[in-house]
Amino acid sequence: MSRAASAAEATTGDPALAGPSAGEPRTRTAYTYARYVAGKLAGAAVSLFAVLVTSFFLFRLIPGDPVKFMTGGRQVSAEQLATYRREFGLDLPLWEQFTDYCGKALTGDLGTSYQFRAPVVDKITEALPNTLLLTGTAFVLYTVLGVFLGTRSAWRHGRLGDRLNTGLALTLYSLPSFWLGLLLIIVFSVGMGPIPGLFPTGGMESGGEEGFAYVVDVAHHLVLPVVTLVAVEYGQTLLVTRSALLDEMGGDYLTTARAKGLRDDLVRRRHAVPNAMLPTVTLIFVNLGRTVAGVILVETVFSWPGLGGLFYQALSVPDLPLVQGLFFVFAAAVIVMNTLADLIYPLLDPRVGR
């Protein structure tokens, strides 16, 4: 047997002398990703606790006495006011109220609403589907519209269509959503000049409708608030997608793809767009978190019975448990969606998290 064969046999037969196995790089990658995930989850947990603390102390700076609101402006005795304060725990020291709030929040109990005399979780659960219907519909529309127009503008940058798309997106994105909503109500609900009032001024339904007629009625009420959200929000997605794709368009791999004879449309769809989607993915997840939070101003302008309108109503009291619970839900939705985006990032680009 030759010296080389003997050495090979010895190396193969002795695990201590064998080189790194094929599974080691995969194991190392899994360990790196697990450590990355643990770090992101720990950061999210710290952020959620910070939100819990902030929501408790922040809204106690709001002027107003919730106990006087609960009396409905009636003249009541000091004993009755003391009874109300004792019923809702407002007579306890601040530190004791805080520890009680944190302890209950960890079990899913966000307290009892002052004005509705119902659990905060129940009020949030009741209004959540309405918010998801409104902002979820708008989210799908402005995401698809922004990504489509952003890729088209980037691929034809500098042309008339690109300039028009970018200019319109910047203009609409800079408009206050409540102002645009009021303008749409004046023009398309009240009516202006030759334009008749085509849509309801607010609310979610007219009442008295059932079955398919109810669906049509809700869709009719949905048009103007959805148009407001889409008009204001799609520009951000368009601009981010356009900017990311422009950065990718000078890549050598696109030149190679064209040199192989691929059509320009295939080069864009199969190569350029997937590599440019990382910033857009982050933005989509952030917007998805905001979808759960709702849009307070738009829901208030259109009297939409969602989380945003409920937050405005609770803030005017102030209904401290309801305001705190809604604020925590809003912030938690954004934190969770940001964390999910961070966890998906390494799967899309292995360089992230290394």
Side-chain angles (χ1 to χ4, degrees):
M1 182 182 296
S2 66
R3 183 177 301 176
S6 301
E9 182 179 356
T11 303
T12 304
D14 190 351
L17 298 176
S21 66
E24 283 188 13
R26 184 176 301 175
T27 303
R28 191 182 306 116
T29 301
Y31 171 75
T32 303
Y33 181 68
R35 187 174 59 181
Y36 174 81
V37 169
K40 292 299 180 182
L41 293 179
V46 172
S47 298
L48 287 173
F49 180 74
V51 168
L52 196 67
V53 174
T54 303
S55 66
F56 178 83
F57 291 103
L58 177 64
F59 296 108
R60 275 161 174 75
L61 301 176
I62 301 175
D65 189 351
V67 174
K68 291 183 178 179
F69 172 83
M70 285 183 283
T71 62
R74 303 187 307 272
Q75 292 293 332
V76 295
S77 64
E79 290 77 10
Q80 289 175 310
L81 290 177
T83 301
Y84 278 121
R85 295 185 184 279
R86 186 165 53 253
E87 179 183 352
F88 290 99
L90 296 174
D91 60 329
L92 300 174
L94 190 61
W95 68 267
E96 193 170 343
Q97 293 183 43
F98 174 67
T99 54
D100 182 59
Y101 169 67
C102 289
K104 289 182 178 179
L106 293 176
T107 63
D109 181 5
L110 296 177
T112 302
S113 168
Y114 295 159
Q115 55 182 322
F116 297 107
R117 304 298 180 91
V120 170
V121 174
D122 291 349
K123 297 303 297 182
I124 292 175
T125 304
E126 178 183 329
L128 181 60
N130 300 338
T131 289
L132 292 179
L133 175 63
L134 170 60
T135 52
T137 304
F139 167 78
V140 172
L141 292 177
Y142 70 68
T143 299
V144 173
L145 186 65
V147 170
F148 175 76
L149 293 179
T151 55
R152 304 292 293 186
S153 293
W155 209 251
R156 293 172 171 80
H157 67 282
R159 299 182 186 179
L160 178 61
D162 174 38
R163 293 198 296 270
L164 290 177
N165 279 332
T166 306
L168 182 61
L170 286 170
T171 301
L172 292 175
Y173 185 57
S174 63
L175 293 179
S177 58
F178 72 91
W179 180 85
L180 181 59
L182 290 172
L183 182 63
L184 291 178
I185 289 176
I186 293 173
V187 176
F188 295 105
S189 293
V190 179
M192 176 179 288
I195 304 176
L198 300 174
F199 300 99
T201 56
M204 182 177 169
E205 57 180 290
S206 301
E209 304 290 349
E210 296 181 358
F212 182 72
Y214 173 78
V215 175
V216 173
D217 183 44
V218 172
H220 192 212
H221 286 76
L222 196 63
V223 172
L224 289 186
V226 166
V227 169
T228 302
L229 289 176
V230 171
V232 173
E233 296 292 344
Y234 93 96
Q236 185 181 19
T237 306
L238 183 150
L239 295 173
V240 170
T241 304
R242 178 182 180 275
S243 176
L245 187 54
L246 284 175
D247 290 339
E248 292 291 331
M249 285 176 58
D252 294 335
Y253 68 96
L254 297 183
T255 304
T256 303
R258 292 190 185 95
K260 291 181 177 179
L262 290 180
R263 297 196 313 273
D264 204 50
D265 184 59
L266 290 177
V267 171
R268 181 181 73 248
R269 287 190 293 106
R270 293 183 181 179
H271 298 280
V273 173
N275 285 300
M277 284 300 292
L278 283 179
T280 307
V281 166
T282 301
L283 180 62
I284 288 173
F285 273 91
V286 171
N287 287 338
L288 192 58
R290 291 172 56 194
T291 296
V292 178
V295 181
I296 297 174
L297 293 177
V298 172
E299 289 192 355
T300 302
V301 167
F302 288 96
S303 302
W304 190 265
L307 295 180
L310 187 63
F311 182 80
Y312 177 81
Q313 186 178 354
L315 202 59
S316 61
V317 174
D319 189 341
L320 294 179
L322 187 55
V323 170
Q324 290 168 182
L326 287 167
F327 180 80
F328 179 74
V329 170
F330 294 165
V334 176
I335 291 171
V336 169
M337 290 301 131
N338 275 332
T339 303
L340 285 177
D342 288 337
L343 299 183
I344 290 175
Y345 242 48
L347 303 179
L348 300 176
D349 187 351
R351 296 170 297 180
V352 179
R354 294 295 179 86

